[in-house]
Amino acid sequence: MNKLIINCGLCDLRHVSEESLQAYESVVINCATAVVTRESQDVLHRFPVQINAGDILQVPAGQDVIRLQSHNGSHTLDGSAAPDGLTFLMVNGKLIIGEDALEAARQYYRIQVNGKTILPRSFTGQLTNLSVNGKTVAYPDGAALLKDTAVIDRFFPLRALGRLYYAASRLVFLDADLDVQALAEKGVRFESPKVVVAASLCERLLPLLDDQAEIAVVEDGTAFVADDTELDDAVLRRYGTRLYVNGDLSLNQRSRDALAKLEKLYVTGAVRLPRDLQEAFSAVDAEYGSLRIIRPFEHAIRESVRAKVDRALLEKYPGGLLVEQCANLCIAEDVPPEMILERLVLQECARVRCSPEQESAVAAAGSEIGCIVTSDEEEAAQSLPGLPAESAHVVNAATYVW
């Protein structure tokens, strides 16, 4: 079975030929954008080629007519970034378009962004060649761009200029030593959809803030935790006993002592805690987005593209293992269903592969699971025409040129 699977962001199919396609029984292309010509598309239609693309861009034929540029992560366009000839720009991540870059951006044949685009408000509707699969943030013209979530501390007034500063997600003012008067005298202003401010700073800061901002006033002495975190004594040693968690907070058996020391807690996302800690948590002065009660666990595997759980791993953590936000999870066949029910906790996993005997236990141990695939179902799927077999040649790349 000579099959080819291509997984990429940008797939350049302009020069595909009958000779190269004849080498494969079938071809599956999974990509964000496929670039073709009318001629190459006609060739592709004559062969068993399956293209799963967010966008198919047809360009004029000719090797030198159009150039392809691809960037992964954050990419910035400024006034000096005008392309040399017809160019297709693809960004997988974040594209920042500077205030002097309107004419440069217009000169691209096409700009495709899979992620976030940040551009001046005056550019809105003026870039007909811009396509965004994700979020577009329009910032005020003339504003200085800060980090998406910007923490303004006591050192900021020393380097600030008399202008507007913009943060795409959130501004944080929790430093009690921040000299608000110095900011006001310099003519500094701030704009962001959300603002977190200490109570003692709030009244003085309000004149410097955009009147459309959603403001959260927190107790003085609160520390800002920038991302999802797991509560333990190490977190309290670093941040103190008053926390503002910008994300989710998870608790397990190691959180018990830290929980008793908390004075105040703010969580923008979900709080996840074992049932046996529910009473202790209720004694904490806490504000949060949602509360999720889960089975106890001792160790956690989080935000993994691919993970495997076998018997040896579960035996290592008799207090329970949490697997959270995993794209592809495999449960080894040596794990009995009883051990899954006793020790495994699954949260927000996109795809879980297990044996038919384990399926019901996996379903009972998990919540918000995208799909559970058994080995029998995979074997049946591989026998269907047009679907890739395990023996297929697989190519994973940011950009693939045929």
Side-chain angles (χ1 to χ4, degrees):
M1 303 293 285
N2 197 12
K3 298 184 178 182
L4 174 65
I5 303 172
I6 301 171
N7 302 309
C8 62
L10 175 64
C11 191
D12 183 359
L13 300 170
R14 292 175 296 166
H15 311 299
V16 66
S17 65
E18 292 188 5
E19 291 76 12
S20 61
L21 288 172
Q22 286 172 349
Y24 301 102
E25 178 183 337
S26 67
V27 177
V28 177
I29 300 172
N30 304 306
C31 64
T33 300
V35 182
V36 299
T37 64
R38 185 187 300 273
E39 293 78 8
S40 69
Q41 205 163 27
D42 289 342
V43 173
L44 291 165
H45 287 162
R46 293 197 291 270
F47 290 85
V49 177
Q50 178 182 336
I51 301 177
N52 304 312
D55 188 24
I56 296 180
L57 176 65
Q58 187 179 99
V59 300
Q63 184 173 356
D64 300 322
V65 171
I66 187 167
R67 297 171 58 243
L68 302 179
Q69 290 183 6
S70 179
H71 297 273
N72 295 314
S74 182
H75 181 65
T76 300
L77 282 183
D78 56 28
S80 64
D84 181 16
L86 290 178
T87 302
F88 171 66
L89 171 64
M90 180 174 177
V91 178
N92 298 307
K94 180 168 68 174
L95 174 64
I96 302 172
I97 302 178
E99 287 188 309
D100 61 344
L102 179 59
E103 291 306 316
R106 281 174 168 168
Q107 293 180 44
Y108 282 89
Y109 181 86
R110 176 83 172 274
I111 301 175
Q112 174 72 53
V113 181
N114 302 305
K116 179 188 288 187
T117 298
I118 301 177
L119 76 172
R121 287 177 183 162
S122 62
F123 288 14
T124 304
Q126 296 201 53
L127 291 172
T128 57
N129 60 337
L130 173 64
S131 178
V132 181
N133 293 323
K135 184 178 182 181
T136 299
V137 176
Y139 65 88
D141 289 66
L145 288 179
L146 301 171
K147 293 181 179 179
D148 287 357
T149 294
V151 178
I152 309 301
D153 58 20
R154 62 185 181 276
F155 301 109
F156 188 87
L158 301 177
R159 59 186 186 275
L161 303 175
R163 61 186 305 183
L164 175 65
Y165 288 87
Y166 181 81
S169 297
R170 183 179 276 101
L171 284 163
V172 181
F173 301 91
L174 296 180
D175 191 337
D177 295 325
L178 177 65
D179 191 343
V180 179
Q181 183 62 31
L183 292 173
E185 290 175 355
K186 283 189 172 185
V188 174
R189 293 169 294 122
F190 297 97
E191 183 173 331
S192 185
K194 297 182 179 181
V195 175
V196 182
V197 58
S200 62
L201 299 175
C202 185
E203 187 174 344
R204 288 174 288 158
L205 269 171
L206 281 178
L208 309 185
L209 301 177
D210 171 52
D211 58 8
Q212 299 297 314
E214 177 186 324
I215 299 177
V217 181
V218 302
E219 291 184 4
D220 285 13
T222 300
F224 183 76
V225 183
D227 208 344
D228 299 345
T229 193
E230 183 178 300
L231 182 65
D232 57 21
D233 283 334
V235 170
L236 298 192
R237 285 194 296 270
R238 178 177 180 183
Y239 295 103
T241 57
R242 298 179 182 180
L243 304 178
Y244 185 101
V245 179
N246 184 35
D248 296 340
L249 179 68
S250 297
L251 296 87
N252 57 29
Q253 301 308 312
R254 294 192 303 273
S255 306
R256 191 179 297 275
D257 291 342
L259 193 57
K261 300 172 187 175
L262 274 180
E263 296 181 73
K264 181 64 181 180
L265 177 65
Y266 306 87
V267 180
T268 62
V271 175
R272 298 184 176 93
L273 75 157
R275 187 172 300 279
D276 61 346
L277 291 182
Q278 191 172 2
E279 183 177 350
F281 181 78
S282 66
V284 177
D285 185 3
E287 301 176 24
Y288 45 85
S290 62
L291 182 64
R292 301 181 184 181
I293 307 302
I294 61 176
R295 291 172 34 233
F297 66 94
E298 177 183 354
H299 181 72
I301 298 173
R302 290 190 172 92
E303 298 181 1
S304 175
V305 175
R306 188 178 300 274
K308 182 177 181 179
V309 173
D310 56 19
R311 182 165 186 155
L313 184 62
L314 289 178
E315 288 178 342
K316 183 178 180 181
Y317 300 107
L321 173 69
L322 169 68
V323 181
E324 185 177 38
Q325 297 178 350
C326 178
N328 293 280
L329 173 64
C330 177
I331 310 294
E333 292 188 2
D334 66 349
V335 181
E338 296 79 12
M339 183 174 283
I340 293 174
L341 291 171
E342 179 185 349
R343 300 190 182 184
L344 188 60
V345 184
L346 304 178
Q347 294 275 342
E348 301 178 40
C349 294
R351 182 178 184 271
V352 180
R353 182 183 181 274
C354 63
S355 69
E357 294 75 21
Q358 297 167 329
E359 183 177 7
S360 60
V362 168
S367 64
E368 300 182 63
I369 295 177
C371 67
I372 301 174
V373 180
T374 67
S375 50
D376 287 351
E377 290 170 338
E378 282 201 337
E379 184 177 347
Q382 290 163 11
S383 67
L384 294 176
L387 293 180
E390 287 187 355
S391 59
H393 178 59
V394 179
V395 177
N396 297 309
T399 301
Y400 185 85
V401 179
W402 196 299

